[in-house]
Amino acid sequence: MTDLLHPHEPAASYLARPNQVHRVCLLYSGGLDTSVMLKWIQDEYDAEVVALTIDLGQPGEDYGVVRGKALQLGAVDARVVDAREEFVRDFVAPAIKANAVYGLGYPLFTALGRPLIAKIAVEVARETGCDTIAHGCTGKGNDQVRIDGTVATLAPELKIIAPVRDWKMGRDEEVEYARKHGIPVKGGTEVAPYSIDDNLWGRSSEGRWIEELGHAPDDDVFQLVTRPEEAPDESEIVTVGFEEGVPVSLNGERLDLVTLIERTAQFGIRHGVGIVDHIEDRIVGLKVRDIYEVPAAAILLQAHAELERLVGTIHQNRFKPQVDQQWAYLVYAGLWWEPLRSDLDAYVDEVNRRVTGTIGLKLYKGTARVVTRESPNAVYDAQLATFSESGGLFSQQASPGFIELWSLQSRLAWRLRNEQSG
Ligand code: ARG
């Protein structure tokens, strides 16, 4: 029997035993779970808490308020880190180059954010002398895999606690605990809210009626994107300029990537673009439903994929989606730090060296459709593609000879089968 299997030992080597917890870096959102946690850790472990809130471009968040709340609840230090630039440069840009979508439409905004959040937690924990990192993930989700996995990889000396996995409080008990300890609960306590996670690459809602597969979305879930029914009657065209696979301009205006993503989102929001009603296979085995609002990703990923196909050969274009799919799966699965991911990035970057040009999309009542394409690297020759003429690199008289050889095996096989059955 190894230590790990002893019933009184933690289930994993990186989990903290109570006597190891003295100073905790808590990933703090300001919501109910992590607010209750901030207090609970102080009481349960007799430990100090450093609250850490990370700005990945969550729309409408007031970080001053979040920080104030942490201090009011007894945090010895409350830090807010603006990680938007690092997020878009090191996580979202590679995702765009890899056309990163999991399943049938999840652009991985949460999955991309977690390894960065956990990496910053490691940095802050080390800086502030913490022995433990705490987070608000449940024991049923993917986020615990991404955060625990990152901390265990980057900082084997740090321990982890995830109180929601252990404390067995339901929402009612948490609200009760909050009331007893003077923790403000925003939005009232009557109805359980949707479970929301968001950043500048998208927003997800889970819980409530979303868990009933037969329940079509209630309107109130859409807090970001305009419902297509209410979007303007006039369409609008946006053009996205790319250099080596990364978006650099919007409607001809050069922008840093944070601003470009935020402005693109505004276009999508107005026209109802980027609503995804998604059934998803989680890493921990569960199948769940998420409602996503991904206005920027819906536009930029489509534009990128279109441009990439324009500059790629048929062989590259048949192969790249396999690489992309593997990349998305690793990231979804919390394996950001796995070397295969950076191996794949080497290929993805090589392909993207030629992904320069401009794509125009027409936005209209919930759809984004590519309407214009332009690139100095397009493997496209209007002369050759036209129906009418022959000449240059293409001889129409050569086509029948090609067809004879191209179809040879299929014709032989067809004849054989017919003879055998006849
Ligand atoms: N299903 C998505 C994922 O696993 C979104 C998760 C949102 N996270 C959350 N804690 N609500 O990446």
Side-chain angles (χ1 to χ4, degrees), residues 106 110 114 142-143 146 195 197 204 206 280 290 292 332:
Y106 170 42
T110 297
R114 293 301 188 247
N142 296 317
D143 289 329
R146 300 163 182 155
S195 162
D197 187 62
S204 75
E206 295 174 346
E280 200 163 289
D290 283 84
Y292 294 127
Y332 183 80

Side-chain angles (χ1 to χ4, degrees), residues 84-144:
R84 289 174 300 165
E85 249 182 72
E86 186 176 0
F87 182 47
V88 300
R89 185 192 60 226
D90 295 344
F91 295 82
V92 179
I96 293 172
K97 291 188 193 179
N99 304 304
V101 167
Y102 177 74
L104 291 180
Y106 170 42
L108 297 168
F109 51 90
T110 297
L112 291 162
R114 293 301 188 247
L116 175 57
I117 286 172
K119 174 188 156 234
I120 294 169
V122 164
E123 287 160 8
V124 169
R126 283 175 174 162
E127 233 171 80
T128 56
C130 291
D131 43 55
T132 303
I133 287 174
H135 59 73
C137 300
T138 75
K140 285 189 166 180
N142 296 317
D143 289 329
Q144 55 172 347

Side-chain angles (χ1 to χ4, degrees), residues 39-338:
K39 199 88 189 96
W40 188 86
I41 290 169
Q42 296 172 72
D43 293 347
E44 204 73 12
Y45 291 93
D46 195 19
E48 292 177 338
V49 176
V50 173
L52 170 61
T53 306
I54 297 169
D55 178 1
L56 297 183
Q58 299 87 308
E61 191 67 88
D62 185 333
Y63 295 98
V65 170
V66 175
R67 188 170 174 276
K69 192 169 171 184
L71 292 171
Q72 187 210 321
L73 295 176
V76 294
D77 191 353
R79 304 194 172 193
V80 176
V81 174
D82 178 355
R84 289 174 300 165
E85 249 182 72
E86 186 176 0
F87 182 47
V88 300
R89 185 192 60 226
D90 295 344
F91 295 82
V92 179
I96 293 172
K97 291 188 193 179
N99 304 304
V101 167
Y102 177 74
L104 291 180
Y106 170 42
L108 297 168
F109 51 90
T110 297
L112 291 162
R114 293 301 188 247
L116 175 57
I117 286 172
K119 174 188 156 234
I120 294 169
V122 164
E123 287 160 8
V124 169
R126 283 175 174 162
E127 233 171 80
T128 56
C130 291
D131 43 55
T132 303
I133 287 174
H135 59 73
C137 300
T138 75
K140 285 189 166 180
N142 296 317
D143 289 329
Q144 55 172 347
V145 182
R146 300 163 182 155
I147 292 183
D148 288 12
T150 297
V151 173
T153 303
L154 301 184
E157 84 281 10
L158 291 173
K159 297 291 174 191
I160 293 173
I161 54 178
V164 181
R165 281 196 295 228
D166 305 320
W167 67 20
K168 296 185 177 71
M169 277 193 271
R171 183 179 149 81
D172 291 346
E173 286 103 320
E174 277 190 56
V175 169
E176 181 58 32
Y177 185 100
R179 203 172 277 137
K180 241 180 35 214
H181 291 85
I183 300 167
V185 182
K186 71 176 171 189
T189 57
E190 304 74 39
V191 240
Y194 296 111
S195 162
I196 303 297
D197 187 62
D198 60 357
N199 60 44
L200 51 69
W201 200 229
R203 168 188 165 95
S204 75
S205 303
E206 295 174 346
R208 292 181 52 189
W209 54 262
I210 299 169
E211 291 167 3
E212 297 157 33
L213 302 188
H215 194 126
D218 288 349
D219 291 349
D220 72 348
V221 76
F222 301 114
Q223 296 292 320
L224 186 63
V225 173
T226 309
R227 294 190 310 119
E229 297 89 323
E230 286 161 6
D233 291 331
E234 284 74 46
S235 66
E236 186 169 10
I237 289 180
V238 288
T239 58
V240 186
F242 288 85
E243 278 172 20
E244 305 202 349
V246 180
V248 293
S249 68
L250 195 63
N251 289 337
E253 184 183 356
R254 236 189 138 77
L255 298 167
D256 70 89
L257 192 50
V258 171
T259 311
L260 188 146
I261 290 171
E262 284 169 354
R263 295 230 192 129
T264 306
Q266 289 311 316
F267 282 106
I269 286 168
R270 185 167 343 130
H271 290 279
V273 169
I275 293 175
V276 182
D277 185 333
H278 202 235
I279 298 290
E280 200 163 289
D281 291 308
R282 279 189 189 162
I283 294 317
V284 294
L286 295 172
K287 200 182 283 292
V288 292
R289 180 185 183 197
D290 283 84
I291 303 291
Y292 294 127
E293 295 168 83
V294 290
I299 293 170
L300 295 174
L301 288 174
Q302 196 187 160
H304 175 270
E306 181 76 11
L307 184 60
E308 190 180 81
R309 278 192 298 269
L310 190 66
V311 306
T313 66
I314 183 173
H315 307 292
Q316 290 176 303
N317 289 345
R318 284 168 50 80
F319 183 68
K320 178 73 166 26
Q322 298 177 44
V323 175
D324 293 346
Q325 204 183 16
Q326 183 64 34
W327 195 97
Y329 176 68
L330 288 175
V331 173
Y332 183 80
L335 298 177
W336 178 264
W337 311 98
E338 154 65 42

Side-chain angles (χ1 to χ4, degrees), residues 6-27:
H6 192 280
H8 300 296
E9 292 295 310
S13 59
Y14 61 77
L15 291 177
R17 290 190 187 82
N19 63 359
Q20 294 175 309
V21 180
H22 304 291
R23 198 174 163 96
V24 178
C25 176
L26 168 64
L27 283 162

